[in-house]
Amino acid sequence: MIILGLMSGTSLDGTDLALCDINGRDYRILAADTVPYPEQWRRRLSSLEDATALEYVKANVELGHYFGKIINEFLVGKNIHVDAVSSHGHTIFHQPAIGLTTQIGDGDSIAAETGLPVVCNFRTLDVALGGQGAPLVPIGDELMFSDFDACLNLGGIANISYRQEGCRVAYDICPCNMPLNRLAALLGFPYDRDGENARRGVLNHQLNETLNYLDYYSISSPKSLGKEWFVSTFWPHVEAAEVPVEDKLRTVVEHIAIQISAVLRCQHIRTLLVTGGGAFNKYLLERLGKLEPEVKITVPDNLIVNYKEALIFALLGYLRLTGEVNTLSSVTGACCDSIGGNICGVLHPSTP
């Protein structure tokens, strides 16, 4: 089955598209690309949680049409029959404690633009079943990357998955590219290439200690982070620190490495697959390697680093369409495994 996986992450780098041939555990990425968000969409999405209800629902529909248009542009000239689109959407609210998670980018609007069936809203069923609705990628770690003790994704948020007592477990560890990109923007960069600005900074022990003692880190899994927690709890400490931006970058990198190291040590992880944009942050991986020298850290080829999440969302769509479990209660804490995702825009066969 040929599925186009579409992923928009919390770091707002852009929209990842991966055209995948999936047959059970076997997969090939046929083509992939990242479309950077236009500045107007970046600004709009970064502040949408404070918008009116009307502005929110308009953004949901308009983002769906935008996704559909970039999918059409991506597919031009490929001459490949696509069976469906599998869209993560873009998370605006994620508060599973009150039964709420929202990913915008209306599936019917995507379908209207592309003429393809669309699977979307993967998280809401799990939350309704009492789960965190996140992370969802571990089903792909289980089916596609089980050769490693653990899989670490360094996206806007750092999350990890591994097997424990015969079950796949996973959770968000800490913010990652969200604070790093915000700080880099203060220096005029979209991100801190190779972590070079952080490397020039000086560790601020007071800020580091404050961040390491945030309540989230003492909560047992299953657990997940959303932008709301980052904005209300994490970022104010970083923002208030009266030190140069480079020192803040250095300190946040150390904080991320410390939190990841604590998990690796607790779970006796020895082989680690690292993907996501943060896998290119050489300084962050150096600091993690210094803290955990016995862990073999593997960064795969750029195609997997950049598009693993889009690939796995293509897998989630495949599993939804074939009626197989795609959401693990051992990961999310829901009352049972489930087959998440709404199917939108199935057009009548006679539609031109």
Side-chain angles (χ1 to χ4, degrees):
M1 192 178 294
I2 308 297
I3 309 285
L4 192 152
L6 185 149
M7 178 72 197
S8 174
T10 51
S11 58
L12 280 173
D13 293 336
T15 307
D16 292 338
L17 303 102
L19 187 61
C20 306
D21 184 357
I22 297 180
N23 180 17
R25 293 171 181 258
D26 298 324
Y27 69 90
R28 284 189 303 144
I29 299 178
L30 305 174
D33 196 10
T34 298
V35 181
Y37 272 115
E39 185 56 32
Q40 63 268 30
W41 267 117
R42 187 189 294 270
R43 289 196 305 267
R44 191 175 181 184
L45 292 175
S46 66
S47 60
L48 195 59
E49 69 269 18
D50 297 319
T52 67
L54 179 60
E55 289 167 336
Y56 175 86
V57 295
K58 282 183 65 181
N60 178 42
V61 171
E62 290 170 10
L63 187 64
H65 284 286
Y66 168 75
F67 284 158
K69 288 181 171 69
I70 64 173
I71 288 169
N72 288 341
E73 292 171 6
F74 172 73
L75 292 176
V76 168
K78 291 192 168 53
N79 297 317
I80 299 174
H81 171 77
V82 180
D83 294 294
V85 173
S86 182
S87 174
H88 170 271
H90 187 83
T91 300
I92 301 299
F93 299 108
H94 182 69
Q95 299 181 40
I98 61 171
L100 173 68
T101 187
T102 66
Q103 287 71 45
I104 68 168
D106 177 51
D108 284 316
S109 299
I110 299 173
E113 292 286 348
T114 63
L116 296 169
V118 177
V119 188
C120 58
N121 290 333
F122 286 97
R123 301 184 188 275
T124 52
L125 175 59
D126 183 80
V127 170
L129 292 169
Q132 292 285 308
L136 296 182
V137 166
I139 187 70
D141 295 341
E142 181 73 12
L143 296 179
M144 294 176 168
F145 301 101
S146 58
D147 291 344
F148 297 89
D149 290 346
C151 295
L152 174 69
N153 178 64
L154 299 176
I157 293 168
N159 51 62
I160 195 167
S161 85
Y162 50 84
R163 290 188 68 80
Q164 185 179 66
E165 298 178 356
C167 294
R168 177 66 58 170
V169 298
Y171 46 89
D172 291 337
I173 299 176
C174 62
C176 185
N177 291 336
M178 288 175 73
L180 296 179
N181 289 356
R182 273 201 183 196
L183 290 168
L186 297 177
L187 297 174
F189 303 106
Y191 61 95
D192 187 14
R193 184 183 293 273
D194 295 332
E196 289 304 321
N197 288 295
R199 190 188 298 274
R200 286 192 289 269
V202 176
L203 179 65
N204 184 277
H205 294 281
Q206 182 176 350
L207 175 59
N208 189 39
E209 184 174 357
T210 297
L211 295 178
N212 285 327
Y213 278 95
L214 292 175
D215 288 345
Y216 179 81
Y217 303 127
S218 63
I219 299 172
S220 300
S221 64
K223 58 181 181 177
S224 60
L225 288 169
K227 184 182 175 183
E228 299 96 319
W229 181 88
F230 170 75
V231 170
S232 68
T233 304
F234 187 96
W235 182 250
H237 296 294
V238 178
E239 193 172 37
E242 296 181 354
V243 298
V245 174
E246 289 86 350
D247 294 358
K248 293 182 181 183
L249 278 165
R250 168 70 180 89
T251 303
V252 172
V253 163
E254 191 70 15
H255 168 71
I256 295 166
I258 287 171
Q259 293 304 320
I260 294 171
S261 169
V263 173
L264 300 181
R265 193 168 302 175
C266 180
Q267 300 302 326
H268 308 290
I269 301 300
R270 288 294 175 263
T271 59
L272 181 69
L273 179 71
V274 181
T275 57
F280 296 116
N281 190 320
K282 293 179 181 178
Y283 186 59
L284 173 56
L285 292 191
E286 282 178 25
R287 292 305 307 150
L288 181 58
K290 286 284 188 181
L291 294 174
E292 294 299 321
E294 295 183 2
V295 177
K296 181 181 179 182
I297 297 173
T298 298
V299 177
D301 64 75
N302 286 0
L303 198 61
I304 297 299
V305 169
N306 287 323
Y307 299 105
K308 176 172 175 269
E309 285 192 293
L311 162 67
I312 292 180
F313 268 88
L315 171 67
L316 288 166
Y318 168 87
L319 295 172
R320 172 66 181 88
L321 293 168
T322 55
E324 301 172 67
V325 166
N326 63 5
T327 310
L328 301 173
S329 58
S330 62
V331 168
T332 67
C335 63
C336 61
D337 293 347
S338 61
I339 306 172
N342 304 140
I343 301 174
C344 301
V346 181
L347 305 184
H348 190 276
S350 64
T351 301

